[in-house]
């Protein structure tokens, strides 16, 4: 059951990153056309020609950053990436 919840949390995180990436790319396109920035004049056509790739790359970057900043946790609040593998050992 915990594994399904973990997959669901990961899917929700990825979906949120994709939506944010879509908003950023759409906003950059509208803002770049309105302000006539030199950087946009030079590279803006790449975003217009490759919208799907730009959104996918930005979503992947956001997803990686979200994992680095907010690592997944299990029910007890421990990081989920191997917390179960550790056991407490008492020294005599």
């Amino acid at each position: 059951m915990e594994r399904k919840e973990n997959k669901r949390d990961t899917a929700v995180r990825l979906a949120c990153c994709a939506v944010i990436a879509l908003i950023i790319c759409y906003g950059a396109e509208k803002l770049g056309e309105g302000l006539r920035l030199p950087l946009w004049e030079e590279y803006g056509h790449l975003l217009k020609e490759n919208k799907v790739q730009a959104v996918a790359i930005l979503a992947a970057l956001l997803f990686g950053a979200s994992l680095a900043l907010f690592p997944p946790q299990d029910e007890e609040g421990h990081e989920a990436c191997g917390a179960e593998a550790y056991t407490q050992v008492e020294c005599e």
Side-chain angles (χ1 to χ4, degrees):
M1 186 68 160
E2 182 180 327
R3 188 171 204 177
K4 285 185 179 182
E5 289 177 13
N6 191 14
K7 285 184 178 182
R8 188 176 335 142
D9 291 345
T10 302
V12 168
R13 185 187 297 237
L14 183 58
C16 289
C17 291
V19 169
I20 292 169
L22 187 63
I23 291 170
I24 290 172
C25 287
Y26 180 76
E29 185 177 349
K30 294 299 177 187
L31 188 64
E33 290 174 356
L35 293 179
R36 299 287 179 198
L37 300 171
L39 191 61
W40 180 259
E41 296 294 328
E42 189 172 346
Y43 299 109
H45 67 92
L46 294 173
L47 179 63
K48 291 179 183 179
E49 295 169 2
N50 305 302
K51 288 181 184 178
V52 174
Q53 290 88 346
V55 171
I57 291 169
L58 186 56
L61 290 173
L62 290 171
F63 184 73
S66 74
L67 287 175
L69 294 174
F70 308 106
Q73 297 183 348
D74 62 5
E75 293 176 1
E76 297 173 0
H78 300 292
E79 290 185 12
C81 53
E84 300 147 0
Y86 297 105
T87 57
Q88 184 175 359
V89 177
E90 294 182 21
C91 297
E92 295 179 14

